[in-house]
Amino acid sequence: MMNTLRLKLCVVVALLFGGNQAFGQNVQLGPEWGENATQEERFENAKTFNFYKDAYTVQNYDKALSYLPELLAKSPRGAQNIYVYAINIYKNKIQRCMDVKQRRGYVDSLFTLYDLRIQYFGDNAKYGRPYILVQKAKDYLNFMPMDRDGVREVFVEAIEANAAAPDVDFINIYFNELTTDYKNDLVETDDYLQQYEWLSSLLDTVTAPEAAGAKETFDTLFVSSNAAGCDNIEKIFKTRVETNPTDVATLGKAFTLLMRSECHTPFLTEVGEMYYQADPTAATAKLVASAFVKVGDNAKAVSFLKAAFDKDTDPQNKATLAVEIAATELALKNASAAASYANQARQLDPSNGYAHIVLAQAYAEGAVACEGFDRQTVYWLAYDVLASARSLFDSGSPEQQQIDQTMALFRRSFPSNDELFFRGLTKAGMAYDVKCGWISGRTTVKMLE
């Protein structure tokens, strides 16, 4: 009789653990199925689990739960699925329950099961405490969203447990909740900034390219909090960038936050120059140039734009940079330098209409270098450049309308017809070589109508 019972129990265990071989009569179950139990008692516990699993599989949840107290009492370490199944059952019950008091009881049971799972399976290599805490935190937010202190507490515990391998999306879930609480005056500014620094340092350890978007989301949340004031950002990053002046990631983050928060301060340009020293690329040089534009230092801005121009290898990018340099040089009243870069832009990308516009403006600005008739003929040359630019923009576009207005202004500065007759230039369209200081080029005589 005993051998027959043992054989039946062996078959149960074989099904339980997915075995493909018949178990012999000498199969021994470990202490996880009963710490101080006999082999027969352990087999009984394993059989109870099998009944539990079968009821769960067919979604007979009440039947499944009838086995749970016995499993928790006699073999709490028997299988992690004891808790997985029960957690899923209670989540299902919570979602369906309409009675507030009963629902709260289900919620309490759910989180008790999470704690028991951590107690008995927290050391599991793959699905241990770090993993379980993340699942617990997500469910806490889902089922207990009004307990703001509790939400923050369980998320912090989960993030700390996973600090060696941070989950950027999970961190963003928490930081979104933290930011909401901060906006609702549930979190002090100092606490919020401390948590930002802590979470930011964790994100810095994640180097996977696919995490870039999540990191940007994180910084966007910070900026949206209104805690990202210029003083606070400087307070957070001042020591960090001075201690690690070659840390590109930290410098880049500080620079980005300062720019996004419109902190046009000396600290912005200080960080910008350190950033370029640590990462002397065309892209960084262009970013730093934009910072100097914001603070009104066009001379510094143009020096970084030129660095970007020298380092870039893409013709269209270089053309765009050359136009920016030309426009900035114009703002600095360096018309000759502006014309030089505008011409380079036209050569690099003939379809860049802005290069033509800036060149025409540089000619008009440079016309002050000479007087009288020579000065007036510069406007013929500038007019030609604008005429060539007009077709590069869509019909009726703002750029085309501006070109038409500027061409009309240039026509007012053309030499008079009497002046042309006096100089023997009696026919429109005649070739003419302009020579005015640094400005030279071939154009045609243009008679006033």
Side-chain angles (χ1 to χ4, degrees):
M1 176 66 104
M2 182 59 70
N3 287 339
T4 301
L5 175 60
R6 185 179 293 277
L7 178 59
K8 288 181 180 178
L9 292 174
C10 285
V11 172
V12 170
V13 175
L15 291 172
L16 172 65
F17 294 105
N20 295 319
Q21 302 177 5
F23 279 68
Q25 293 184 12
N26 62 345
V27 169
Q28 299 290 306
L29 292 180
E32 67 273 14
W33 288 103
E35 188 71 28
N36 299 310
T38 65
Q39 278 299 304
E40 285 76 11
E41 290 170 336
R42 290 175 182 176
F43 276 114
E44 285 295 331
N45 293 337
K47 183 170 67 172
T48 300
F49 174 77
N50 201 48
F51 292 151
Y52 171 62
K53 177 183 177 183
D54 287 345
Y56 171 80
T57 301
V58 299
Q59 298 183 15
N60 189 347
Y61 294 150
D62 289 336
K63 180 66 173 176
L65 288 180
S66 70
Y67 298 109
L68 184 60
E70 183 178 352
L71 289 170
L72 294 178
K74 296 181 177 180
S75 54
R77 299 181 187 276
Q80 186 157 191
N81 277 343
I82 292 173
Y83 306 96
V84 173
Y85 297 160
I87 285 170
N88 289 340
I89 290 171
Y90 276 107
K91 286 167 66 173
N92 179 272
K93 284 183 172 292
I94 293 167
Q95 290 165 347
R96 294 172 178 273
C97 185
M98 302 301 292
D99 182 272
V100 175
K101 184 176 181 180
Q102 189 177 36
R103 185 182 186 276
R104 183 53 196 253
Y106 290 155
V107 170
D108 289 343
S109 296
L110 173 67
F111 293 113
T112 296
L113 285 163
Y114 269 119
D115 293 339
L116 289 172
R117 184 179 175 186
I118 291 171
Q119 179 182 342
Y120 293 113
F121 290 93
D123 58 353
N124 184 278
K126 187 174 182 180
Y127 299 111
R129 182 173 178 272
Y131 172 85
I132 299 168
L133 284 172
V134 168
Q135 308 312 309
K136 178 183 177 181
K138 290 178 179 179
D139 280 343
Y140 203 97
L141 177 60
N142 192 26
F143 298 124
M144 296 285 287
M146 301 306 293
D147 180 9
R148 303 311 300 169
D149 290 341
V151 167
R152 295 194 300 274
E153 183 179 336
V154 295
F155 268 87
V156 167
E157 185 180 17
I159 292 170
E160 287 176 340
N162 287 275
D167 181 333
V168 293
D169 293 322
F170 183 74
I171 287 175
N172 274 346
I173 293 172
Y174 169 60
F175 195 56
N176 182 56
E177 297 300 317
L178 181 67
T179 300
T180 299
D181 286 350
Y182 175 74
K183 290 178 178 179
N184 291 329
D185 297 325
L186 299 177
V187 175
E188 296 292 332
T189 299
D190 284 348
D191 291 339
Y192 181 76
L193 293 176
Q194 287 174 6
Q195 295 223 26
Y196 168 80
E197 288 190 75
W198 168 54
L199 296 171
S200 180
S201 67
L202 292 178
L203 290 179
D204 286 344
T205 66
V206 181
T207 57
E210 56 269 24
K215 290 181 177 182
E216 184 174 348
T217 298
F218 178 82
D219 288 334
T220 299
L221 284 169
F222 180 53
V223 172
S224 75
S225 72
N226 295 323
C230 301
D231 290 343
N232 285 338
I233 296 175
E234 183 168 346
K235 179 180 177 182
I236 290 170
F237 286 99
K238 182 75 171 177
T239 302
R240 290 172 65 180
V241 299
E242 289 177 350
T243 304
N244 301 290
T246 60
D247 184 350
V248 174
T250 299
L251 289 165
K253 176 170 286 189
F255 180 83
T256 300
L257 286 174
L258 289 164
M259 287 290 285
R260 291 177 66 177
S261 298
E262 299 184 356
C263 300
H264 306 149
T265 63
F267 186 59
L268 169 65
T269 53
E270 178 187 346
V271 170
E273 295 199 81
M274 294 171 70
Y275 186 23
Y276 179 71
Q277 288 296 320
D279 183 36
T281 62
T284 302
K286 186 175 180 181
L287 288 173
V288 176
S290 67
F292 279 102
V293 169
K294 293 294 185 181
V295 300
D297 190 341
N298 286 329
K300 273 283 193 177
V302 81
S303 69
F304 279 100
L305 285 171
K306 288 177 179 178
F309 179 82
D310 292 340
K311 291 177 180 296
D312 211 312
T313 57
D314 180 84
Q316 286 193 326
N317 287 345
K318 287 179 76 73
T320 299
L321 285 165
V323 171
E324 291 186 47
I325 294 169
T328 309
E329 291 284 19
L330 263 183
L332 291 168
K333 305 299 183 182
N334 297 328
S336 176
S340 173
Y341 275 96
N343 266 319
Q344 289 185 68
R346 290 205 306 172
Q347 293 166 11
L348 288 162
D349 182 9
S351 67
N352 190 320
Y354 298 104
H356 296 70
I357 292 173
V358 177
L359 179 60
Q361 292 173 334
Y363 284 159
E365 186 76 25
V368 299
C370 48
E371 298 178 351
F373 183 77
D374 288 342
R375 179 175 180 177
Q376 291 176 309
T377 60
V378 172
Y379 291 96
W380 285 348
L381 196 59
Y383 188 92
D384 290 345
V385 175
L386 281 183
S388 65
R390 194 177 188 283
S391 63
L392 298 176
F393 296 98
D394 293 335
S395 178
S397 66
E399 290 87 355
Q400 199 174 79
Q401 293 175 26
Q402 184 61 51
I403 287 171
D404 290 342
Q405 292 173 13
T406 306
M407 289 175 73
L409 288 173
F410 285 174
R411 281 195 296 271
R412 296 175 190 173
S413 299
F414 288 173
S416 68
N417 290 346
D418 289 343
E419 178 74 19
L420 294 177
F421 280 115
F422 176 75
R423 294 178 179 276
L425 302 173
T426 58
K427 185 176 180 181
M430 293 175 59
Y432 186 84
D433 291 320
V434 174
K435 294 181 181 178
C436 172
W438 57 265
I439 303 171
S440 63
R442 172 155 288 201
T443 184
T444 58
V445 172
K446 295 172 178 61
M447 308 288 287
L448 292 173
E449 297 178 359

